[in-house]
Amino acid sequence: EQNFSQMQGNSVYSYNGLAFYKLDLGNKQTSVLNTGSRFPTPDQVVWAGDQGALLNFSGPLYSTRIETALQARGESVNKATQMYTWYLDFATNELKMVSKYSIRKGLAAYSTEAKGVYYVPNYGIFLNEFPETEENLNRLSLNFYDIESGVENEVAGDLKAVDATSVFLCANQ
């Protein structure tokens, strides 16, 4: 069973399949941040504090809010759309498609100062977009999703694996 919890500051953020919620460790109060949407089983949840979360899904997208969002974009469920990264805004309940690439496991960090999430995309099945060289098979970039503007940008490209891992080891301490 996967755990979709993360500690940020004095709070533990968690998703239980029905609701996104926060446990304040100082006063032991639990508050529901968002509920009521039918989502597929997540592959990972990257928390942006009380504001929202970046989501990747491993479960089937059919008959879920993700399939509805894909249809609104004129797309359908397939191997490529299964890899998409989404952002759920807790306050507005708005769901936005962030990237056609999923996030590499453990390589994402929320910045309260920058008001967004830094992450390393997983190019996976999209490697055919790049010339097939050994260098591109290990291609890493650092992207940033600004949660206020809803804009995602590459902030650093052609990183070595050790560089990207070091960034997130420091950020998550």
Side-chain angles (χ1 to χ4, degrees), residues 67-87:
E67 182 180 33
T68 303
L70 287 169
Q71 290 169 343
R73 294 172 48 82
E75 298 182 76
S76 60
V77 173
N78 58 50
K79 189 175 181 180
T81 58
Q82 182 78 44
M83 301 294 293
Y84 284 6
T85 294
W86 300 86
Y87 178 73

Side-chain angles (χ1 to χ4, degrees), residues 6-125:
Q6 182 181 34
M7 188 166 183
Q8 290 181 357
N10 200 33
S11 298
V12 175
Y13 293 89
S14 193
Y15 176 67
N16 64 7
L18 299 173
F20 296 87
Y21 60 95
K22 173 177 97 168
L23 170 64
D24 185 312
L25 298 175
N27 63 20
K28 308 281 192 272
Q29 296 292 314
T30 300
S31 54
V32 175
L33 302 171
N34 188 281
T35 190
S37 294
R38 180 160 197 240
F39 286 112
T41 302
D43 183 47
Q44 62 182 322
V45 176
V46 179
W47 295 90
D50 293 0
Q51 298 193 29
L54 287 178
L55 307 163
N56 293 130
F57 298 101
S58 58
L61 304 180
Y62 295 104
S63 302
T64 67
R65 184 162 177 203
I66 300 301
E67 182 180 33
T68 303
L70 287 169
Q71 290 169 343
R73 294 172 48 82
E75 298 182 76
S76 60
V77 173
N78 58 50
K79 189 175 181 180
T81 58
Q82 182 78 44
M83 301 294 293
Y84 284 6
T85 294
W86 300 86
Y87 178 73
L88 175 64
D89 184 299
F90 294 149
T92 65
N93 202 32
E94 185 178 1
L95 183 67
K96 297 178 185 174
M97 198 278 271
V98 172
S99 173
K100 66 181 180 178
Y101 308 115
S102 62
I103 297 171
R104 286 186 183 240
K105 293 258 192 229
L107 294 181
Y110 172 60
S111 168
T112 53
E113 187 176 310
K115 297 182 179 149
V117 178
Y118 290 95
Y119 70 95
V120 174
N122 181 10
Y123 296 110
I125 64 170

